Amino acid sequence: MAEQVKRPVGITETVLRDAHQSLMATRMTTEQMLPIVDKMDQVGYHSVECWGGATFDASLRFLKEDPWERLRKLRAGFKHTKLQMLFRGQNILGYNHYADDVVEYFVQKSVANGMDIIRIFDCFNDLRNLKTAVNATKAIKKENPNAEAQIALCYTLGDAYTLDYWKKIAKEIESMGADSICIKDMAGLLVPYKATELVTALKSATKLPIQIHTHYTSGVASMTYMKAVEAGADVIDTAMSPLAMGTSQPATEVMVETFKGTPYDTGLDMKLLGEIADYFRPIQEEALKSGRINPKVMGVNIKTLMYQVPGGMLSNLVSQLKEAGAEDKYYQVLEEVPRVRKDFGEPPLVTPSSQIVGTQAVLNVLQGERYKMMTKESKKILRGEFGQTVKPFNKEVQKKAIGDEKPITCRPADLIKPQLDKFRKEAAQYIQQDEDVLTYALFPQVATEFFKYREAQQTKVDPAAADTKNKAYPV
C-alpha cells in the first residue's frame, strides 16, 4: 500500500480564552497566564487564542484589568507563536452594531498591540456585517504580513443549512479576500459523519484553509475532529486538559496523541504539553473549590443535540425560570425555543441571538400567550437591526413587533454615522492611551468605572475613600 502523504494538523490552543470563558466565566487573570507563556511559546502551536470574545468585558468588569495591557504583555511573552482573537463582526466585542470608523480603528489597534489572526463572525452569518472588519485587516496586511482575517461561519441545523448553502457561502468568503475559514460550532451540534460531509463539501468549493472549532457539550467533539481532519480540515481548536471537555473544547494532549504516527501527526511534544497541563491543574482545582467552575458544565449534556441549544444558553434559561419560580416549565421552554427561532428567520444560536431567542421563549411560556410581550431585542431582530437571516421572518410576528414601520433591508451599519469623535469627546477626561476611546465605545459605563478605578490606583489612594466626583483623593 502506498504511503499516505503527510498532512500535519495545526492546533489552536484556547486555554487562554475560550476554555476559561466556557468553564469559569472568563475569570482567569493576566497574572495567572504570564508565568506559563514562555513554555507555551515553545510548543509550536498554529496559534494561541488569548483575546476577544468575552475576555474584554470580563477584564474590565470583574478583574479590573486593562484588556489592552493584557494583549501587550502576552505579545511580549509569545515571541514565536501567532496570537488569535474572536471578533463579533460589526458588533466588535460588544452587543450592538458600531459605525465603520470604530470597527476599522479597533482592528488597527488590535494588530498594533500584537494581534495576528482576527477570527471574525456574525451571529446571522450575514457576510455584509463582516466586510468592514475583513477589509480593515487586509489593509493592515500590506504593512504587517502577520495580520490575517479568518471568517468564522456559525454552524447550525435547519432546513436552510444545506451543503449547498455552506459551499455557496464559502465561495463568497474566498472572494471577500479572507485568509481562512473556520467552522464555528458553538453548540456542539456537528456530529462526526456530518463533519466528513461538511469538510469535504467546503474543500471542493474553496482553496482556503479550513479550521474547526467546537465544544464538548454534546460529547462528540473529539470524534468530530478526527473525522474532520481525515476529510481535510487543516487546523483544530483544543484546550489544555485541566480546562478541556464539558462546555469547553477537546483536550489538546488527547488530540495530539490521537494523531501521533499518522499522516496528520501534529509533531507536538507530549512531555512539554504535560508540563503545561500541570501548571493549569491548580487553577482548575481552585476554580472548582471556589465554585467558579460548576461541576455541571464538565459533563455531557445531550439536550444540546435534542433541542439545538448551546450550553451557555441552557444555563441562562434555567436561571431565568428559577427567578420566576417556574422551573417546572423548563421542557415547555425548550420546545418553544425552536419555534421562536423559526419565527425569527432560523438564525444560528450564538451571542447575541441565543440570548434574545431564549428570553423570548421564556416570556412566551410564562405569559401563556406567544408574543404577548416582546423584548426590546426581539424587536431589534425583527426590525432588521442585526442584519439578514437565512430565511424570512414570520410576517405576523414581525407586524406584532414593529407595526407598520419599514424594516431595515440594507447593511445595518450603513445607517450609523461615524462615532469615533463623539466617543473621544465623551471620554476625554479619562483617556490615557489611544485605545481607551475604544474601551469606552464598547462599554461606556463599565469603562468609566474602570477608568476611575485606574486613576485611584495611580494616585495610590484607597478607592473606597476616594471622592471621584469632586476629584478629591485623600492620600
Side-chain angles (χ1 to χ4, degrees):
M1 204 172 93
E3 201 184 327
Q4 278 179 287
V5 184
K6 281 194 169 35
R7 196 166 56 69
V9 63
I11 300 278
T12 289
E13 176 57 67
T14 67
V15 72
L16 300 183
R17 204 284 298 179
D18 203 7
H20 72 105
Q21 180 175 318
S22 299
L23 292 179
M24 49 192 267
T26 331
R27 295 296 198 275
M28 201 188 290
T29 63
T30 305
E31 218 166 87
Q32 287 176 307
M33 297 174 184
L34 294 177
I36 196 64
V37 163
D38 186 43
K39 223 167 231 178
M40 288 178 72
D41 197 30
Q42 299 164 31
V43 171
Y45 288 119
H46 168 77
S47 64
V48 169
E49 193 201 41
C50 59
W51 211 61
T55 62
F56 199 93
D57 183 2
S59 295
L60 295 164
R61 196 186 296 262
F62 303 114
L63 307 175
K64 293 285 178 271
E65 285 187 11
D66 179 5
W68 297 100
E69 194 51 35
R70 171 181 294 187
L71 175 53
R72 291 191 283 266
K73 285 177 172 170
L74 289 171
R75 179 70 283 166
F78 281 109
K79 294 179 171 55
H80 314 288
T81 310
K82 285 192 173 184
L83 300 185
Q84 183 168 321
M85 74 174 289
L86 183 67
F87 192 100
R88 298 183 187 129
Q90 211 68 29
N91 293 5
I92 311 180
L93 303 174
Y95 304 102
N96 296 302
H97 282 216
Y98 295 92
D100 288 339
D101 64 340
V102 182
V103 175
E104 284 160 3
Y105 195 51
F106 201 99
V107 171
Q108 287 160 10
K109 282 296 173 193
S110 300
V111 175
N113 280 280
M115 191 44 64
D116 298 301
I117 303 170
I118 301 185
R119 177 180 287 176
I120 309 159
F121 80 97
D122 174 70
C123 72
F124 286 176
N125 289 335
D126 183 344
L127 297 183
R128 300 174 308 169
N129 295 336
L130 307 178
K131 202 177 69 184
T132 303
V134 172
N135 289 345
T137 312
K138 278 164 60 183
I140 295 166
K141 202 183 169 85
K142 293 187 180 109
E143 291 151 41
N144 185 337
N146 279 346
E148 280 181 44
Q150 179 180 78
I151 289 186
L153 291 172
C154 298
Y155 179 77
T156 189
L157 305 169
D159 307 340
Y161 300 96
T162 59
L163 286 177
D164 284 338
Y165 164 84
W166 296 115
K167 276 158 72 168
K168 180 174 168 286
I169 205 166
K171 286 190 174 110
E172 286 169 25
I173 288 171
E174 192 162 27
S175 61
M176 277 171 80
D179 295 292
S180 59
I181 295 178
C182 172
I183 294 297
K184 179 178 165 58
D185 176 25
M186 53 285 160
L189 298 177
L190 183 59
V191 294
Y193 289 104
K194 288 286 174 215
T196 303
E197 285 175 20
L198 180 60
V199 174
T200 306
L202 290 176
K203 282 282 176 185
S204 73
T206 170
K207 293 195 165 46
L208 292 180
I210 307 290
Q211 183 156 359
I212 308 275
H213 171 93
T214 187
H215 291 253
Y216 219 95
T217 324
S218 57
V220 299
S222 49
M223 295 184 277
T224 296
Y225 276 171
M226 196 167 171
K227 286 307 207 186
V229 168
E230 287 171 357
D234 301 279
V235 187
I236 54 177
D237 286 15
T238 63
M240 289 312 302
S241 55
L243 290 174
M245 324 280 272
T247 48
S248 174
Q249 280 75 48
T252 306
E253 308 94 306
V254 173
M255 296 318 299
V256 167
E257 193 59 32
T258 299
F259 293 123
K260 208 179 199 161
T262 73
Y264 320 111
D265 196 328
T266 62
L268 304 190
D269 176 355
M270 277 301 272
K271 187 173 164 298
L272 186 57
L273 291 174
E275 287 167 20
I276 296 167
D278 289 342
Y279 176 81
F280 285 104
R281 202 157 288 111
I283 294 176
Q284 178 231 48
E285 285 162 4
E286 194 279 319
L288 275 165
K289 215 164 46 219
S290 66
R292 266 207 309 270
I293 293 182
N294 179 338
K296 273 190 186 145
V297 300
M298 303 296 284
V300 165
N301 193 336
I302 205 64
K303 288 195 192 90
T304 53
L305 288 178
M306 289 161 64
Y307 298 103
Q308 297 161 30
V309 175
M313 187 177 166
L314 280 172
S315 47
N316 271 353
L317 296 180
V318 172
S319 66
Q320 284 177 348
L321 289 172
K322 207 175 190 164
E323 267 171 46
E327 288 171 272
D328 56 321
K329 303 265 198 295
Y330 180 61
Y331 287 100
Q332 276 169 267
V333 170
L334 279 183
E335 280 156 22
E336 177 64 4
V337 166
R339 289 196 285 263
V340 173
R341 183 177 166 233
K342 228 179 175 74
D343 292 337
F344 286 11
E346 228 172 274
L349 296 178
V350 63
T351 307
S353 56
S354 50
Q355 287 86 333
I356 300 169
V357 168
T359 304
Q360 191 58 54
V362 169
L363 277 179
N364 287 0
V365 169
L366 294 184
Q367 296 283 325
E369 183 191 319
R370 304 186 76 226
Y371 305 112
K372 183 179 177 181
M373 246 176 87
M374 270 191 178
T375 66
K376 190 166 87 244
E377 286 74 21
S378 291
K379 289 176 182 169
K380 273 186 176 179
I381 282 189
L382 294 164
R383 197 180 286 122
E385 279 186 46
F386 286 104
Q388 202 177 0
T389 47
V390 60
K391 285 203 150 174
F393 300 133
N394 177 329
K395 282 278 178 274
E396 282 166 44
V397 177
Q398 189 181 32
K399 192 159 174 58
K400 223 172 187 178
I402 64 168
D404 295 326
E405 204 185 318
K406 263 194 83 135
I408 296 169
T409 53
C410 65
R411 181 183 75 114
D414 288 343
L415 304 173
I416 308 173
K417 289 186 175 72
Q419 294 170 313
L420 259 181
D421 290 341
K422 173 178 88 82
F423 289 135
R424 272 207 186 93
K425 281 192 190 85
E426 286 174 19
Q429 67 182 99
Y430 300 115
I431 290 180
Q432 295 183 7
Q433 55 176 355
D434 292 349
E435 292 78 6
D436 287 344
V437 67
L438 292 165
T439 304
Y440 177 83
L442 296 191
F443 304 104
Q445 282 163 305
V446 176
T448 304
E449 286 304 303
F450 170 75
F451 294 149
K452 286 177 181 171
Y453 168 84
R454 178 174 70 181
E455 215 164 88
Q457 290 303 98
Q458 284 158 350
T459 36
K460 287 287 175 279
V461 299
D462 170 11
D467 176 2
T468 44
K469 197 168 166 203
N470 302 311
K471 289 272 187 289
Y473 295 111
V475 178

